[in-house]
Amino acid sequence: MVAIALTGCGLGKMIKKYGEVKYTVDPPILEVHADKVPVKISATVPAKYFIKGASATFTPVLKWEGGEVSLKPITVLGETAQGDGQKIKNASGGSFSYTDTIPYKPAMKKSELFAKVGLAMKSKTADLPERKLTVGCITTSTRVANDEDIRLGADKYVKESIISQEAEIYYPIQSAVIPQKEMTGGSMKTLKEFVAKKYITKNITITAWASPDGPVELNDKLSGDRSTSAFKYVQNELVKMKLDGAKNEELYSKVSKGEYWDGFNKLVGASNIEDRQLILDIVNRHSDVNSREQEIKNLAVVYLTLAKDILPKLRKADIAINSQEPKKTDAQIDSLSLAKPDSLDVEELLYAATLSQDLDKQLKIYESASNVYPDDWRGYNNVGYIYLKQGKLDEAKSWLEKAKAKNATAEVLSNLGVAAAWSQDYEGAIKNFEEAKSGGGNVSNNLGILNLRTGNYTTALEYFGSDCSYNAALSNLLLKNNDAAKTKSECAAKTAATAYLQAIIGARMGDAGMMSSSLKAAVGQDANYRREAMDDLEFSKFWENTDFKGAIQ
């Protein structure tokens, strides 16, 4: 009746022949990208359809159970109609295009897109019947894995530390016999006190020299004899002190260095000898040690000073005992970390958290670290790290901000970036990641995932590089690089999510076998994928397929 009433003005004809107007949606099923739904529609209007003086207001509407949203309207005009809008000629017909983007809501996963068109000409108005254009939404882009790198403030605890104690034995000129006073001297006394602590000895080194006066051959022999006498004396003393392994000669390293020219230069350079620079120049100028020694001896007065103050200090053997520093056992550290955390140093306390896989226990230890050592950023950062692992974003952000206030390290900034990304604060995420990168942090993976989340799939792959990962496979799939997506998925971690993604890849490639076998594997690992697949438009062409039905049973 409306059409008949409007026939005289031409709008009725447009209503009657509306079925001749063709709409095309690209892509044919709405897809989500970067948490948004882009809508692109093309319309073809046949010749003799659009009345010259008429106008049409075109408004797409997306509807779902319990809600709907109207997209922006556009105006399409007949060739003589006044106003702004795309023009359609009456005689030849024409086309118009439409684009808009709306924020995605999970309820839109099962939705339908309709075209609402209102006509007007002069004082007459009419509505064309609603036309269903397509369905939505394919949500594969939202299947990003939270595989960002979360950074711990690592402990610097060393399970085995070597502590050394050194002593020197000085010899008379041209002698390898140890004077009695050297056996009871200060450095040997200190060495014996160290041995008495009964630490586990790793090795003992004995290094002997001769002063650079006299023939080289004699000094080489003298140096060797001194290393032997020092070894025999030290071993004998350690056996008497009942040092474990003292009789084992493999515990000792005995070295003869010959003439000690390096020591000579060091002592002369640090001395108050007036001609010390002249002496050093002679040493540097002559590579032949005999010529060098003779020129120095020619400086008669200077040589007397050297013989008195310098050369005796070069006739020696150095003894170094290298022992394993006593440490608490892992069991002791683990127990104290909860019962008495202030009895551990910061490295021990942070290390204690690594002895457990229990996140709640780790959280308590890291909280203790922040209390006992409040100036160390790692305790705060690591509490934030645990909260990120637990998906508690507000708590994570709070602790990470405390860590940043102590020290804005690359680890802290990267973790703040992850917290922002998971909260869909992508601007905050990129800011923190870039600052972490400037501070020397490796955030390539995190930047790759961020670009995947924001729809920059090509950039994401640049950051992923040659990495084989679920997210690299997803990035390729969203770029419609199906073969590359398949290859990346095959070398990614074998998870239920990976198997489900492979099912989608198979569906897009029209490979029913790959689709069904992968889907069956996904459902076998996680039964929730059964329901997801039944609603996932990626499989809409296979819903009635027996292979599909068999895979989700």
Side-chain angles (χ1 to χ4, degrees), residues 47-308:
K48 305 297 184 179
Y49 175 80
F50 212 103
I51 305 303
K52 291 182 180 181
S55 66
T57 301
F58 177 81
T59 307
V61 180
L62 189 65
K63 298 182 179 183
W64 60 90
E65 185 177 350
E68 65 176 56
V69 60
S70 295
L71 283 69
K72 69 180 181 182
I74 64 168
T75 302
V76 182
L77 303 172
E79 56 191 283
T80 63
Q82 300 299 309
D84 295 326
Q86 300 181 55
K87 293 273 188 174
I88 304 292
K89 291 185 177 181
N90 175 265
S92 60
S95 62
F96 66 89
S97 59
Y98 177 92
T99 58
D100 194 12
T101 301
I102 57 175
Y104 172 69
K105 298 178 181 180
M108 296 177 182
K109 184 176 181 180
K110 294 179 68 174
S111 57
E112 296 178 322
L113 183 68
F114 293 88
K116 291 181 67 173
V117 181
L119 302 177
M121 189 170 69
K122 296 183 181 180
S123 62
K124 304 291 184 179
T125 61
D127 290 327
L128 293 174
E130 280 192 357
R131 177 89 69 84
K132 180 179 174 180
L133 303 181
T134 188
V135 295
C137 295
I138 287 178
T139 60
T140 301
S141 70
T142 66
R143 297 186 178 280
V144 180
N146 289 348
D147 287 342
E148 284 89 347
D149 295 322
I150 311 173
R151 305 294 186 184
L152 270 175
D155 67 86
K156 299 176 184 176
Y157 181 74
V158 180
K159 294 198 71 170
E160 181 178 297
S161 298
I162 301 301
I163 51 177
S164 299
Q165 183 64 51
E166 298 180 353
E168 302 85 26
I169 294 173
Y170 292 97
Y171 291 86
I173 188 171
Q174 295 186 359
S175 173
V177 178
I178 301 174
Q180 184 62 38
K181 67 177 182 178
E182 292 297 319
M183 297 181 183
T184 57
S187 66
M188 282 303 301
K189 181 180 178 182
T190 303
L191 188 71
K192 291 177 181 179
E193 290 172 352
F194 178 76
V195 172
K197 295 178 179 179
K198 302 296 183 182
Y199 297 159
I200 298 174
T201 304
K202 301 297 287 186
N203 56 72
I204 301 167
T205 63
I206 298 168
T207 308
W209 289 272
S211 59
D213 53 328
V216 173
E217 295 80 4
L218 174 62
N219 287 332
D220 285 343
K221 181 179 184 304
L222 198 55
S223 172
D225 291 344
R226 286 170 178 169
S227 69
T228 299
S229 70
F231 162 68
K232 290 180 178 179
Y233 166 68
V234 169
Q235 185 181 43
N236 185 59
E237 291 298 305
L238 297 182
V239 168
K240 286 193 295 184
M241 295 183 71
K242 299 182 180 180
L243 178 71
D244 188 32
K247 293 182 179 180
N248 181 7
E249 294 199 7
E250 292 183 358
L251 189 66
Y252 302 84
S253 174
K254 186 176 65 170
V255 181
S256 170
K257 290 282 192 176
E259 293 185 346
Y260 197 9
W261 282 106
D262 289 341
F264 177 86
N265 289 340
K266 184 177 180 180
L267 290 174
V268 170
S271 72
N272 295 321
I273 298 174
E274 289 186 7
D275 293 326
R276 62 182 177 275
Q277 190 56 53
L278 175 60
I279 296 170
L280 295 176
D281 290 343
I282 291 172
V283 173
N284 292 330
R285 188 167 63 246
H286 292 282
S287 58
D288 180 70
V289 292
N290 292 323
S291 299
R292 180 190 297 172
E293 181 185 347
Q294 187 57 52
E295 270 210 53
I296 293 173
K297 284 183 176 180
N298 290 339
L299 303 172
V301 176
V302 173
Y303 188 76
L304 291 175
T305 301
L306 292 175
K308 177 184 176 185

